[in-house]
Amino acid sequence: MLDPSLYRDAMSRYAGHVQIVTTAHVGEKRGVTITAACSVSDNPAMVLACLNASNPNNAIFSKSGHFALNSLSADQVELANAFSGRDPAMTSEKRFAIGNWGELVTGAPVLMDARAAFDCRLVELKVMATHMILIGEVMGISTGEHKPALLYMDRGYHTL
């Protein structure tokens, strides 16, 4: 079996666009910083996002039936850090107090000044090893200013 630390070290060399995947259910909001997300289809418009399945707080994504994928700009590092989970004192309320959050169609929290935000109806959730894969049909889109993108590579933030 391959050593997981060797795999993580190699994957850290991949540049990933920093995004926050969000949802809300019965008055509770959840958001997680991720880099594993991409387009699945343009007709119908669909995206996928991957997040840690072992975190019990992420079960809300399966319960809610919707999520938003919010792509960050280089000037939104504070948001990326807030939603990363590195600071255990950073509650959900404190996280969502940073940034301009609203809603589009599904009720998932949407970052209104994200480079691009995709408001999705959850079509499928698949657990694969340590992660859950969310596949969503895009029900609404919001685009912010065209600013440099925030990337994560070599265990640090970068921009284009």
Side-chain angles (χ1 to χ4, degrees), residues 127-139:
V127 176
M128 182 65 65
T130 59
H131 280 64
M132 64 175 72
I133 303 165
L134 308 175
I135 299 174
E137 180 180 3
V138 179
M139 308 304 290

Side-chain angles (χ1 to χ4, degrees), residues 16 25 27 34 38 41 44 47 67 97 101 122 131:
H25 183 65
I34 64 168
C38 66
S41 171
V47 297
F67 67 93
W101 296 94
L122 183 63
H131 280 64

